Amino acid sequence: ALNNFLFFILKGCKNSLKYLYLENNLIEVLNHQILQDLSNLKDIILSFNLIRKVNKYTFYNLSSLKTINLEYNCIELIEKYSFFKVEKLTYLNLANNYLTFLNDYIFSSLKSLNILKLNNNKIEKFSKHTFDGLNYLTILSLNNNRLKSVGNYYFNQLFNLEELFLNNNQISVIEINSFKNLENLLKIDLNDNCLFRIQKNSFIYLKNLRILILSVNEINNMEIGSFNNLRKIEYLDLSSNKISYLKHGIFSDLIQLKYLNLAFNRIKHLREDSFSNLYSLNQLILESNKLKYLTFFNLNISLNVLDLSNNFIECLVLGNKYNNSFFNSISLNWNKNLSKILFYNGFKEITSIY
């Protein structure tokens, strides 16, 4: 009854309607018959309804449409050609539905799309050509789904993508070519997945990446070259993993890194040169590891924050081999066995120790 009523109401609007807000209703069916002739429609908001399927040609030829919001429905299927000839659309929100699979080319007509939200569904996989045609997409949200892997070349047509959210999935494997062609990507969030290993060159195509979040995984092995070519990265979060040691040169390419979080791991020992190439490092978080003896002597860095709280540190050695090396603040809370802090080479540049 509601759908029939909607059909007759919209039929009387035709070319005059620009904004259609129908959230928080009981709409169950959406098809082209309902929306046809609304050629000047710019925004359509249908969130919090009961729509189960986006039918073929639903938005066909709505040439002025820029925003579609279908979040919080019951959508299980998006048929091919659902968005056919909606070439000015910039924002599409399909979050908080029941999607489990995304077919090939379902978004291929959305030539102007900037933001695609698919988070909080039940997506287990998508096809290699699901995102083909989205050449101007800048933000893709796939977080809070059931993805188990990121296959080769699945994102390889997203040339202008800047932010990719894959957090809160079940991803255990990243392939070498998973992120190929994403040269403009600035941020990738892989927090709260099932990654146990970072392979060499996993992120090698992400030459402009600024933020990489790998926290809350099962990572216990980072191969030499895991972070190859990430020369512009500024923020790296590896907290809450199972890292027990850092291989020599693991961070050697990260010359612009400002923030490194290794908290809540299992690190027992750090090589003296573990951070030697991190010339821009500003904050180093080593909280809640298993460190006992720690030496910072040959560092050519200037840290504002060094967090060593909640370890097992007995002795800390600080030196100043380079004139520009200093620590502004050092946290040593909850190191109950700490008995010695040794300073060498006139090391004085500490504002606070707590």
Side-chain angles (χ1 to χ4, degrees):
L2 180 59
N3 282 78
N4 291 332
F5 175 73
L6 180 61
F7 172 71
F8 285 109
I9 291 293
L10 295 180
K11 189 176 181 180
C13 297
K14 287 193 175 180
N15 296 333
S16 62
L17 190 65
K18 291 185 178 181
Y19 305 100
L20 180 59
Y21 300 143
L22 290 165
E23 64 265 44
N24 287 295
N25 281 289
L26 299 172
I27 299 170
E28 297 180 359
V29 178
L30 187 64
N31 55 44
H32 180 60
Q33 185 182 18
I34 294 174
L35 298 175
Q36 65 182 342
D37 299 323
L38 300 178
S39 57
N40 287 315
L41 190 65
K42 291 185 177 181
D43 294 356
I44 180 167
I45 312 298
L46 285 160
S47 52
F48 295 95
N49 277 285
L50 299 173
I51 300 167
R52 291 187 176 276
K53 182 171 70 170
V54 183
N55 290 297
K56 188 176 183 179
Y57 298 122
T58 293
F59 301 99
Y60 175 71
N61 211 26
L62 296 181
S63 56
S64 298
L65 199 58
K66 291 190 173 182
T67 297
I68 299 175
N69 190 340
L70 291 165
E71 68 175 332
Y72 288 102
N73 275 276
C74 304
I75 299 170
E76 298 176 341
L77 176 65
I78 302 172
E79 291 188 344
K80 196 172 182 180
Y81 303 117
S82 295
F83 306 104
F84 190 53
K85 289 195 174 182
V86 192
E87 295 180 355
K88 290 185 179 179
L89 195 73
T90 60
Y91 178 90
L92 175 57
N93 192 343
L94 290 158
N96 294 285
N97 280 287
Y98 298 100
L99 294 166
T100 59
F101 180 73
L102 300 173
N103 286 304
D104 285 339
Y105 306 111
I106 56 173
F107 305 117
S108 61
S109 293
L110 305 180
K111 306 297 184 183
S112 301
L113 195 66
N114 296 139
I115 299 173
L116 176 56
K117 302 192 74 173
L118 291 160
N119 51 286
N120 295 87
N121 276 277
K122 299 181 179 181
I123 300 170
E124 297 180 1
K125 60 180 178 177
F126 45 86
S127 297
K128 187 172 288 188
H129 300 289
T130 293
F131 302 112
D132 282 14
L134 300 180
N135 296 342
Y136 291 96
L137 195 70
T138 57
I139 299 175
L140 175 57
S141 298
L142 284 161
N143 50 293
N144 294 89
N145 278 288
R146 298 177 180 178
L147 295 170
K148 292 181 171 59
S149 64
V150 182
N152 285 320
Y153 309 111
Y154 279 39
F155 301 119
N156 73 329
Q157 289 204 22
L158 304 181
F159 308 113
N160 288 293
L161 195 66
E162 295 180 359
E163 298 184 16
L164 176 57
F165 296 92
L166 292 164
N167 46 301
N168 297 93
N169 277 283
Q170 301 167 23
I171 298 169
S172 60
V173 177
I174 297 174
E175 305 290 350
I176 298 299
N177 292 303
S178 292
F179 305 121
K180 190 170 184 179
N181 292 339
L182 301 187
E183 293 184 357
N184 289 305
L185 197 67
L186 301 176
K187 176 179 180 177
I188 181 167
D189 191 343
L190 284 156
N191 172 69
D192 199 2
N193 276 284
C194 302
L195 294 168
F196 61 91
R197 177 169 64 109
I198 305 298
Q199 299 181 70
K200 180 180 179 180
N201 295 330
S202 290
F203 307 105
I204 196 167
Y205 299 108
L206 308 181
K207 65 179 184 180
N208 287 303
L209 195 69
R210 301 296 196 277
I211 299 172
L212 176 56
I213 302 173
L214 293 164
S215 51
V216 195
N217 277 277
E218 304 290 325
I219 299 170
N220 57 44
N221 181 19
M222 297 186 294
E223 296 180 2
I224 297 296
S226 291
F227 305 111
N228 275 353
N229 206 34
L230 297 183
R231 294 183 177 275
K232 293 186 179 180
I233 194 168
E234 297 178 355
Y235 183 105
L236 176 57
D237 191 346
L238 286 159
S239 62
S240 298
N241 278 286
K242 296 181 178 179
I243 301 167
S244 58
Y245 69 100
L246 300 177
K247 295 176 182 178
H248 177 62
I250 191 67
F251 300 128
S252 61
D253 269 12
L254 311 185
I255 56 176
Q256 296 294 326
L257 192 67
K258 296 179 180 179
Y259 176 93
L260 176 57
N261 193 341
L262 289 160
F264 296 96
N265 276 285
R266 301 175 179 181
I267 302 170
K268 294 181 179 180
H269 175 72
L270 284 174
R271 294 171 56 98
E272 193 172 349
D273 59 356
S274 295
F275 312 109
S276 58
N277 288 341
L278 304 184
Y279 307 119
S280 301
L281 196 62
N282 187 268
Q283 296 184 59
L284 176 57
I285 314 299
L286 290 163
E287 174 192 358
S288 298
N289 277 278
K290 298 183 178 182
L291 294 166
K292 284 188 176 182
Y293 304 98
L294 202 53
T295 299
F296 289 103
F297 188 76
N298 291 320
L299 290 180
N300 190 14
I301 59 176
S302 302
L303 284 174
N304 275 335
V305 176
L306 173 61
D307 190 345
L308 297 169
S309 57
N310 199 29
N311 275 279
F312 300 91
I313 295 174
E314 297 177 11
C315 181
L316 175 62
V317 179
L318 300 172
N320 192 8
K321 180 179 179 180
Y322 300 94
N323 292 330
N324 64 335
S325 298
F326 70 90
F327 299 92
N328 190 32
S329 174
I330 300 178
S331 175
L332 289 162
N333 291 324
W334 298 101
N335 283 278
K336 296 181 179 179
N337 296 321
L338 181 62
S339 59
K340 291 182 181 179
I341 302 178
L342 303 176
F343 300 94
Y344 288 95
N345 276 23
F347 193 93
K348 298 176 181 178
E349 300 292 332
I350 299 179
T351 302
S352 62
I353 298 179
Y354 58 93

